[in-house]
Amino acid sequence: MAKCPLAATARRVYTLSSVSLTPARLPPGPRDIPIIGQAISLNPDKAHLQFTEWRKLYGDLFIFRLLGKNCVVLNHPEIVRNLFSRQEFLEVTNDRPGGFMAKYVLNDSQDVLFRQYDDRQKCLKESAVNFIENHTAKDETFYEQVSVEIQQFTAGLRTHMHKDIDLMEFIDPSVSKQVALMLCGKLLSDTDPAMKSFLGFEQAANELGKVKNQMALSACPFLRHAPGKLGGTFRKLAENRDKLLKFFITDTRDMTDKFRCKGLVDALMERALKEKQTRDDWLSETFIHGVVMDMTPAAVKPIQGSLSVLLLLLVNYPHIQQKIRAEVISVVGKERQPKLTDLPNMPYTHACLQELMRYHTPLPLSARHHNRIEIEFDGFIIPKNTDIYTNLWGIHHDQRFWKEPECFKPERFLSEKGKLLPDDHPLRRNYIPYGVGPRACAGKTFGRNSLFLYLTNIVQNFLLLPSSSEEVPVCDVNYFQPGVVTRAPSFKVRLTDASKME
Ligand code: HEM
């Protein structure tokens, strides 16, 4: 078709004028209500479900306003990839929006998770990923200590056989100990004061991190000093933080212990020394503190939340529990403790974990991104300083990408011959539980390994039965406990000795 010069000029004028933000070029979205925006119609606890409904009305990229802020929601994996990892955008779409935690807990974002995407963030993240994903996976002392912890955990469960128990009450502290081990290189006991500070910090950070508390504290930061619940929680957080950091940074450094392995703090200290020799010594202890604090919500919560959903699935679907157990017994046997090297030989169990990350999607809205300049994408303008949400849950439950997305079907990740689908299989393009691009998760292998070890050790030892006194909830996302990381509602199970069942 011949090109009309007039039309081309008109289009050019339109494009130029639209760069100065004509509302017509904003993405579609629900009608704005002055000042409050969608504050009334949006339930922050179920925002991912609401966004999934809005996607049907407004498409894969839509915008809405919330208390004076622009918010964009991405509902398609290709859009997420394009915006967060395409060269032309990645330097401008990978910031974080800041907020109360970033400013008052992490000392103006001196950390990995809350910091904007700058050279310091890149350097810290690179060191953290190298350590968490590459070093721990090969460090035998580390996994020996993890095995010790899991043995103690299963031994603890044995004393509660045939009773109705909330298994998460045992799993939660055990996961925290594993993450603390990754940080300081030492397996702490339940009674260790450092472990108490870790748990105290974790609880307070979790409470303050709730959407409604974040909104209140970001609007009125002085509330942290006020009497009352919020102020009290902030003081608890600060007190535990100081104790925790003294232990992790100062005391651990001088600790010589034959069971101590290298921790993330040691790795960052080494990096700090290197930085000192080459550049200005920005990598101070405050940054290392920041990374320690990041790991509490970033590492502990997704592992705990995923395990809670996994257990609920095992009780609701005994045939899946049975299949995993059969695989564990055939590969590992009944006596030896399962280890990471068993994973490649256990495709069904591996597929269950992959399906868990799709079905549950521990971070249903990922972590918010922020764009530092206005960008034009796919014919739409995304205004500067927009909060960008990725609806990971919506993407993982979208019928365009998944057959029967509401069903837990590990088989979808297996070939007809029962092998795990390769990473480059087309289905995997729609599978992004850890996010995409330079801000993607720093601990996905660590998380997967941890889930694998808990799952196989539990199933090898115990049969999980429904509680005899309470009805087990159905596994339904509508009843998950809300949060940046969701988890299953509390429920009780009964454990029996798996070896006696055959
Ligand atoms: C087990 C399941 C896990 C899931 C599903 C998960 C998922 C995610 C997601 C969706 C993000 C945000 C990505 C983005 O902003 O685009 C993230 C960030 C992050 N995750 Fe994970 N995560 C998991 C476990 C872990 C573990 C075990 C660690 C540490 C050992 C970890 C450390 C981090 C850190 C530090 C970030 C921030 C990275 C940055 O801002 O550059 N995560 N994770």
Side-chain angles (χ1 to χ4, degrees):
M1 204 195 338
K3 281 192 179 147
C4 162
L6 253 184
T9 313
R11 199 166 37 238
R12 193 174 139 72
V13 170
Y14 174 74
T15 310
L16 287 176
S17 66
S18 65
V19 169
S20 62
L21 219 162
T22 53
R25 302 228 36 222
L26 289 173
R31 204 158 60 86
D32 187 27
I33 302 168
I35 304 169
I36 57 168
Q38 300 301 319
I40 292 178
S41 59
L42 192 65
N43 174 357
D45 286 346
K46 297 202 168 154
H48 55 292
L49 300 180
Q50 174 103 57
F51 292 163
T52 305
E53 287 308 306
W54 282 354
R55 203 253 325 143
K56 294 176 193 154
L57 298 173
Y58 307 114
D60 286 329
L61 173 74
F62 63 78
I63 195 165
F64 68 94
R65 283 180 66 81
L66 187 65
L67 303 173
K69 290 210 79 174
N70 285 313
C71 305
V72 150
V73 183
L74 315 180
N75 295 283
H76 195 295
E78 288 309 328
I79 298 184
V80 184
R81 257 189 288 278
N82 279 330
L83 266 179
F84 295 159
S85 35
R86 212 160 83 191
Q87 202 57 38
E88 68 184 290
F89 293 124
L90 70 80
E91 287 296 335
V92 292
T93 52
N94 281 303
D95 283 342
R96 300 278 188 216
F100 178 85
M101 294 295 267
K103 186 163 174 56
Y104 296 101
V105 178
L106 291 148
N107 304 301
D108 280 322
S109 312
Q110 298 197 50
D111 74 324
V112 172
L113 174 59
F114 290 90
R115 191 171 182 81
Q116 70 270 31
Y117 184 54
D118 62 6
D119 285 348
R120 293 179 178 186
Q121 199 278 342
K122 289 177 198 172
C123 169
L124 266 186
K125 172 111 181 235
E126 183 204 54
S127 305
V129 171
N130 260 338
F131 180 79
I132 300 169
E133 296 290 84
N134 304 332
H135 180 86
T136 53
K138 294 183 204 119
D139 185 348
E140 281 181 18
T141 329
F142 176 76
Y143 275 104
E144 270 163 28
Q145 295 296 297
V146 171
S147 300
V148 169
E149 168 48 32
I150 294 187
Q151 267 166 8
Q152 285 171 1
F153 159 79
T154 42
L157 289 184
R158 285 204 171 274
T159 62
H160 291 81
M161 300 263 265
H162 312 295
K163 292 180 205 153
D164 287 346
I165 54 163
D166 180 348
L167 209 44
M168 290 312 296
E169 284 176 11
F170 299 80
I171 289 184
D172 283 344
S174 177
V175 171
S176 299
K177 277 197 252 173
Q178 209 187 106
V179 173
L181 166 69
M182 184 271 286
L183 288 169
C184 72
K186 187 171 164 29
L187 187 58
L188 302 172
S189 72
D190 289 319
T191 51
D192 198 310
M195 201 58 226
K196 289 195 168 154
S197 309
F198 193 80
L199 295 175
F201 175 80
E202 200 185 295
Q203 264 170 10
N206 200 31
E207 185 59 32
L208 289 186
K210 289 186 176 156
V211 179
K212 65 175 195 294
N213 293 339
Q214 277 305 296
M215 282 165 94
L217 286 163
S218 295
C220 317
F222 61 85
L223 285 176
R224 72 190 187 285
H225 298 308
K229 201 171 167 213
L230 274 184
T233 312
F234 183 78
R235 284 184 287 281
K236 180 177 162 197
L237 178 133
E239 188 190 318
N240 282 300
R241 174 187 61 187
D242 296 345
K243 286 189 197 157
L244 181 69
L245 297 179
K246 180 180 170 306
F247 173 78
F248 276 112
I249 314 277
T250 320
D251 301 355
T252 315
R253 196 170 30 200
D254 310 320
M255 199 183 289
T256 44
D257 184 327
K258 69 174 171 156
F259 296 116
R260 183 160 120 71
C261 48
K262 186 172 172 181
L264 177 59
V265 170
D266 301 301
L268 292 175
M269 292 284 191
E270 280 171 23
R271 180 74 191 229
L273 276 180
K274 258 196 217 155
E275 288 292 309
K276 243 184 205 160
Q277 289 155 8
T278 51
R279 289 193 233 162
D280 59 335
D281 58 346
W282 65 271
L283 211 177
S284 61
E285 283 193 2
T286 320
F287 271 97
I288 300 176
H289 291 178
V291 180
V292 170
M293 287 192 273
D294 279 345
M295 291 306 159
T296 317
V300 175
K301 292 292 156 201
I303 299 178
Q304 291 173 337
S306 307
L307 282 167
S308 75
V309 175
L310 181 59
L311 295 176
L312 187 54
L313 287 162
L314 293 182
V315 185
N316 271 293
Y317 303 117
H319 64 286
I320 295 183
Q321 188 183 152
Q322 185 45 42
K323 250 180 128 168
I324 299 173
R325 182 171 150 72
E327 195 173 61
V328 173
I329 301 304
S330 91
V331 175
V332 182
K334 290 185 181 173
E335 304 301 328
R336 172 171 75 72
Q337 204 184 351
K339 14 182 227 251
L340 285 181
T341 44
D342 295 319
L343 179 65
N345 303 322
M346 299 175 66
Y348 183 75
T349 306
H350 201 162
C352 284
L353 295 177
Q354 293 193 336
E355 172 68 343
L356 175 69
M357 290 295 117
R358 180 203 68 83
Y359 175 87
H360 171 212
T361 313
L363 279 79
L365 289 177
S366 188
R368 270 177 306 159
H369 286 222
H370 204 240
N371 54 320
R372 61 180 74 165
I373 56 167
E374 178 182 288
I375 49 179
E376 190 174 340
F377 174 76
D378 213 11
F380 294 123
I381 293 291
I382 302 181
K384 179 178 168 177
N385 290 340
T386 294
D387 280 1
I388 307 177
Y389 293 84
T390 310
N391 188 3
L392 294 179
W393 192 89
I395 291 170
H396 286 164
H397 290 80
D398 191 323
Q399 294 192 338
R400 293 175 297 172
F401 311 134
W402 307 94
K403 261 190 216 151
E404 297 183 286
E406 67 292 349
C407 298
F408 183 79
K409 289 207 300 195
E411 290 75 13
R412 64 174 98 238
F413 287 101
L414 293 172
S415 69
E416 277 174 13
K417 290 189 175 151
K419 295 233 159 23
L420 205 68
L421 295 184
D423 287 351
D424 59 359
H425 189 278
L427 189 88
R428 301 291 298 259
R429 286 193 74 73
N430 306 321
Y431 178 74
I432 50 171
Y434 303 98
V436 166
R439 297 312 287 257
C441 181
K444 66 177 188 175
T445 314
F446 182 93
R448 197 257 341 255
N449 290 351
S450 180
L451 293 173
F452 172 76
L453 291 174
Y454 280 103
L455 171 61
T456 48
N457 276 277
I458 291 174
V459 169
Q460 184 191 41
N461 284 282
F462 307 105
L463 194 67
L464 272 69
L465 298 169
S467 141
S468 49
S469 57
E470 286 174 19
E471 209 170 309
V472 175
V474 286
C475 200
D476 180 339
V477 60
N478 285 297
Y479 305 116
F480 283 0
Q481 296 180 43
V484 175
V485 179
T486 59
R487 63 186 273 159
S490 301
F491 65 98
K492 294 206 166 125
V493 293
R494 204 157 34 90
L495 301 178
T496 56
D497 191 337
S499 61
K500 298 220 172 97
M501 300 308 290
E502 283 125 25

